Amino acid sequence: MISLTPKVWFVGAGPGNPELITVKGMRLLKEADVLIYAGSLVNPELVALSGASVRLDSWGMDLAELASVMEEAAKAGKCVVRLHSGDPSLYGAIVEQIAELEKRGVAVEVVPGVSSLFAAAAALGTQLTLRGISESLIVTRPAGKTLDHDQIEEFSRLGSTMVVFLGTEKLAAITKKLACPATTPAAVIYHASWPDQKIVRGTVADIAQKAKDAGIEHTALLVVGGVVEAGKSGYTNSYLYS
Ligand SMILES: C[S@@+](CC[C@H](N)C(=O)[O-])C[C@H]1O[C@@H](n2cnc3c(N)ncnc32)[C@H](O)[C@@H]1O
């Protein structure tokens, strides 16, 4: 049965490479009449593939403005796509948008995407969970303008793989907080999956300086843990192929 409730599609754009959006995401992007995208992180090449006649960068728009644009278009029967970088469930601020739209009688459906976290693991050619090294993954971010306290120090005592988002400008402060051994492998991946992707490898002791020397100042992930050097030693073959 076709739903008559106006609807907005929240679509994960993937980490940057336009081929890393899902097939469903690409179909919706092409079918869209109205496209709203997070300009700083969504590749313009992807926006250019959209069939939407209205394309809006959400930078600088507040929640009420965003919701009004989406509500009006959805209620006029348009196909409305809200494109979020990576996977919308990670640092995507979608819940507040969904709540605001639902308050206005507009439904939302979310299409997942490939997070930059997975593009970073692919760039490193490793697993984030690896038998004998780490069975767990911590995804976190440092304190800053919008977060009073972080748990980086506590998490770093657990020996799990750790991926830190939203911290490129604070790498020195973040690595100082890490309580794991200073020799723990670490990597910074800038613009994972983009043509100008950079990978810097090091240890907790030197990764911040190495990233600075490489000129990395934004849009990067810090990965900490033995999996960064996987392939060298320390892991155990899985049961899968034994
Ligand atoms: C607002 S968050 C959005 C994360 C996104 N939802 C995801 O799943 O990748 C933005 C942060 O994600 C990270 N990021 C996004 N795209 C990236 C990429 N292609 N390579 C490395 N880090 C990226 C950076 O830490 C950036 O500051």
Side-chain angles (χ1 to χ4, degrees):
M1 207 173 74
I2 296 171
S3 163
L4 295 177
T5 311
K7 181 155 103 179
V8 171
W9 294 91
F10 279 48
V11 175
N17 183 321
E19 291 189 320
L20 291 179
I21 190 170
T22 63
V23 172
K24 183 166 183 168
M26 181 59 88
R27 178 176 63 75
L28 287 163
L29 188 70
K30 289 193 166 157
E31 284 174 7
D33 300 304
V34 176
L35 174 71
I36 299 144
Y37 60 97
S40 57
L41 288 169
V42 171
N43 192 332
E45 281 181 38
L46 203 52
V47 175
L49 293 173
S50 174
S53 54
V54 177
R55 298 172 193 179
L56 288 176
D57 183 347
S58 58
W59 195 86
M61 289 171 84
D62 66 24
L63 180 60
E65 267 176 278
L66 262 174
S68 295
V69 171
M70 294 189 274
E71 176 192 5
E72 209 172 291
K75 287 184 175 169
K78 311 264 192 217
C79 175
V80 184
V81 170
R82 172 77 173 109
L83 201 55
H84 274 271
S85 73
D87 181 80
S89 72
L90 288 173
Y91 307 110
I94 63 166
V95 167
E96 63 212 60
Q97 296 176 64
I98 294 172
E100 185 61 30
L101 285 167
E102 285 179 351
K103 229 167 40 187
R104 298 167 183 230
V106 178
V108 169
E109 195 166 328
V110 182
V111 179
V114 177
S115 173
S116 58
L117 154 62
F118 301 119
L124 290 171
T126 192
Q127 293 179 217
L128 295 169
T129 57
L130 186 58
R131 193 159 172 255
I133 295 191
S134 171
E135 293 293 339
S136 314
L137 171 67
I138 289 165
V139 175
T140 192
R141 61 167 292 187
K145 243 190 285 173
T146 56
L147 180 71
D148 290 339
H149 301 289
D150 63 52
Q151 292 170 281
I152 287 173
E153 186 183 341
E154 296 96 294
F155 287 150
S156 68
R157 295 183 192 282
L158 301 175
S160 305
T161 308
M162 208 161 128
V163 177
V164 184
F165 280 74
L166 296 159
T168 319
E169 336 66 52
K170 302 186 191 108
L171 286 172
I174 294 168
T175 49
K176 256 191 216 130
K177 285 187 192 177
L178 295 171
C180 50
T183 52
T184 306
V188 169
I189 304 93
Y190 164 77
H191 254 190
S193 86
W194 291 67
D196 59 349
Q197 167 182 290
K198 281 186 200 165
I199 303 174
V200 176
R201 291 172 190 265
T203 64
V204 161
D206 61 15
I207 194 67
Q209 188 59 46
K210 283 185 164 177
K212 191 173 172 197
D213 294 345
I216 299 176
E217 290 171 348
H218 57 85
T219 325
L221 291 171
L222 170 67
V223 182
V224 179
V227 299
V228 168
E229 286 303 316
K232 291 207 172 144
S233 63
Y235 67 93
T236 316
N237 282 355
S238 71
Y239 284 117
L240 203 58
Y241 305 115
S242 58

